[in-house]
Amino acid sequence: MVEYKSLNDHELTELLRNGDHLAFNEIYKRYWRTSINAAFQRLKSKEEAEEVVQDVFVNLYIRRSQIQPKSSLEAYLNIAIKYRIIDAFRSQKLKESQLENVITHQQVLPLQPDQEFEYKELREKIRKAADQLPDKCREVFLMSKFEQLSNQEIAERTGIAVSTVKKHMHKALNILRKDFKDQQLDLLSVCLLIFLST
């Protein structure tokens, strides 16, 4: 019987390449925590770090027959985490760009007939969710997304630091994501609905 804990990374990788599920379990146990810490250093969010690392390990398992670490397995995972975070940032930037276009009327996203009923139901929930944001958080969010003010302009108007503006925005977006995670809506859809309901 193989004692997986005693195997080195190279041996575990070879077993994983040949479809050994227990080798994957050992790699997961060995590197899950350090991978979370590496992702957290860049993202500063435990939930986002866990999501990134989960994606990396799922991809590791799916592509197990193709993996060929050029150095250590830990280095391989860290590089995978780095690129997954870059992809996540790119995706978020794209969504933010789309959102800005919608709010400034540069892009029209008409409601599909089959979405009309669902959106009507959600509008009230979205309005209530926005109203439940902490006062300063809601104020910053509305000035950013609806008045198109920059972080610097918001800071000057409210008398708070730019870094505090960014924290309020991050908090507002996280609250809205959590409120609507069961609705299978991305952040763009949520913000679009808030815009349509005002």
Side-chain angles (χ1 to χ4, degrees), residues 76-94:
Y76 177 86
L77 290 170
N78 282 336
I79 291 170
I81 288 167
K82 175 185 174 182
Y83 285 113
R84 179 66 189 85
I85 290 171
I86 289 171
D87 287 344
F89 282 149
R90 283 178 180 157
S91 176
Q92 184 60 32
K93 285 286 186 188
L94 177 60

Side-chain angles (χ1 to χ4, degrees), residues 43-48 92 133 137 141 166-181 187:
L43 295 167
K44 307 302 180 189
S45 164
K46 182 182 177 185
E47 293 80 12
E48 290 178 10
Q92 184 60 32
L133 291 173
C137 197
F141 178 79
K166 291 178 181 177
K167 286 178 184 175
H168 282 305
M169 277 300 302
H170 183 72
K171 182 176 181 180
L173 295 175
N174 278 340
I175 290 171
L176 291 173
R177 281 191 193 100
K178 287 176 184 175
D179 283 349
F180 291 93
K181 66 181 178 182
L187 184 60

